[in-house]
């Protein structure tokens, strides 16, 4: 099968992001958290290292959410009925999102505490 040109691959990727924005509530909330953090970065005038850390962990959460959704969609396609093994696979993928979220909270506390309490 011939690979599509780069611009088409890029359009397919953007289509996936917009589908996530339209369809996935958790992704919408995580994008809202990114927007709040962008506001806080500007408001507190974070240095570039702190801003990069905040943006990095925000996108890490978005990426893991997208991968979790992809895993769930594949599992639902392969086995539409309840299956304990599929449930475990989905739980593990969701666990990755929770781990990324915990990391982002820890980084947020460490970074923002320097700006809130000084």
């Amino acid at each position: 099968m011939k690979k599509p040109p780069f611009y088409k691959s890029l359009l397919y990727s953007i289509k996936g992001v917009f589908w996530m924005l339209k369809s996935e509530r958790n992704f919408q909330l995580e994008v809202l958290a990114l927007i709040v953090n962008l506001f806080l970065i500007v408001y507190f005038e974070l240095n570039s290292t702190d801003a990069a850390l905040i943006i990095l962990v925000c996108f890490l959460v978005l990426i893991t959410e997208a991968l979790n959704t992809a895993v769930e969609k594949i599992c639902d396609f392969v086995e539409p009925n309840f299956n304990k093994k599929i449930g475990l696979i989905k739980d593990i993928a969701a666990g990755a999102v929770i781990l990324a979220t915990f990391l982002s909270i820890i980084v947020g506390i460490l970074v923002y505490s320097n700006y809130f309490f000084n």
Side-chain angles (χ1 to χ4, degrees):
M1 182 172 169
K2 186 179 171 191
K3 281 184 152 185
F6 175 74
Y7 76 94
K8 281 195 175 183
S9 295
L10 186 60
L11 289 175
Y12 295 144
S13 300
I14 293 168
K15 177 183 171 185
V17 172
F18 277 107
W19 183 89
M20 291 286 296
L21 276 169
K22 184 180 79 169
S23 306
E24 292 295 314
R25 181 190 43 130
N26 288 346
F27 193 80
Q28 294 164 352
L29 292 171
E30 292 153 357
V31 168
L32 178 62
L34 170 63
I35 293 167
V36 168
N37 276 287
L38 292 174
F39 170 78
L40 291 173
I41 287 168
V42 172
Y43 180 79
F44 287 118
E45 299 176 356
L46 270 62
N47 66 50
S48 56
T49 303
D50 288 343
L53 279 171
I54 295 296
I55 292 169
L56 180 69
V57 294
C58 285
F59 274 92
L60 178 64
V61 172
L62 292 171
I63 291 164
T64 54
E65 186 67 51
L67 292 172
N68 175 53
T69 300
V71 167
E72 288 180 352
K73 296 296 176 195
I74 291 168
C75 287
D76 290 344
F77 178 77
V78 170
E79 181 56 69
N81 299 315
F82 177 78
N83 179 299
K84 281 173 55 172
K85 290 180 182 178
I86 293 291
L88 177 60
I89 292 167
K90 289 179 166 186
D91 292 346
I92 292 168
V97 178
I98 289 295
L99 291 173
T101 302
F102 287 158
L103 174 64
S104 70
I105 291 168
I106 292 167
V107 169
I109 290 168
L110 292 172
V111 168
Y112 288 126
S113 65
N114 294 326
Y115 296 90
F116 274 104
F117 304 114
N118 284 337

